[in-house]
Amino acid sequence: MRVAALYDIHGNLPALEAVLAEAERERVDAVVFGGDIAAGPMPRETIELVRSVDDAVFVRGNADRLETPANPEGEAGRLWIKQQLDDEHIAWLTNLDFSAILDDTLYVHATPEGDETCVTELTTDDRLADLLSGVEQARVVAGHTHMQLDRTVGSIRFVNAGSVGRPYEGRPGAYWAILDEDVELRRTEYDLERAAAETRASGHPRAEELAAENVLVVPSREEALAAFGG
């Protein structure tokens, strides 16, 4: 089975469109949307597009829990996103499954333990093994930290697919993964100027910041690791 893993879209519609077009060319059998789908400048359009994808599987991310207050930095954005969506959209996001299993692979937003737990390259093997204890599948695919990762602890391969819409990789683009017998971490280029313009025009309370610092330029891994730690 050939699966495209798309995580952390964060309402970046142009990035999503580019990745879906590439996934179609790759003839994947299924697309897993791994959470944090709509929390960004184009929430309604992003939800409508992901729900139109055939053979799609959905996992809920922490930012999809729109009824849960965010940290002070994100609270204004959460309230704005709720205003852009109707009750059905909000209920759909809220009721997405915590996890999914396809082809001996467990898909979660962050870890099997919770949707806000961070795993990075700084996470020790012992800590990661503890987080994966009880997993029966050969692979676990996650996102949340917006940085791609591929490592193995014991018999389990842990993969972070990266972020489609808001990567912390130092190089702009849309980051995702394809899984079959192996794992291929991907980066897709898209129209950054269009995405920045549509972000600025969206009315999102952090629109200018998102366009300038998360689309045209993106944070480096070093900056993100300093924030996330192990």
Side-chain angles (χ1 to χ4, degrees), residues 33 43 47 77 91 116-117 136-138 140 163 177 183-184 205 207:
F33 293 101
I47 289 174
E116 293 186 318
T117 310
E136 299 177 352
Q137 291 72 35
V140 174
S163 173
V183 176
E184 183 180 357

Side-chain angles (χ1 to χ4, degrees), residues 20 24 29 51 60 76 91 114-115 118 125 134 144 187 198 209 212 218 225:
L20 286 176
E24 183 176 3
D29 300 300
R51 291 172 69 173
R60 191 188 65 225
D115 62 15
C118 294
D125 283 352
H144 186 56
R187 174 188 168 275
E198 292 185 7
E209 175 191 348
V218 301
L225 288 169

Side-chain angles (χ1 to χ4, degrees), residues 100-172:
I101 297 173
L102 282 79
D103 200 23
D104 201 27
T105 302
L106 175 67
Y107 293 85
V108 293
H109 179 65
T111 71
E113 177 188 74
D115 62 15
E116 293 186 318
T117 310
C118 294
V119 173
T120 73
E121 61 197 65
L122 302 180
T123 304
T124 66
D125 283 352
D126 287 345
R127 170 62 173 157
L128 183 54
D130 184 56
L131 291 170
L132 301 180
S133 64
V135 172
E136 299 177 352
Q137 291 72 35
R139 299 185 296 199
V140 174
V141 179
H144 186 56
T145 65
H146 299 205
M147 292 179 287
Q148 291 180 327
L149 186 67
D150 186 358
R151 57 188 289 188
T152 300
V153 175
S155 62
I156 301 175
R157 188 172 184 176
F158 182 88
V159 175
N160 188 311
S163 173
V164 170
R166 199 179 292 179
Y168 303 155
E169 299 280 4
R171 183 184 181 193

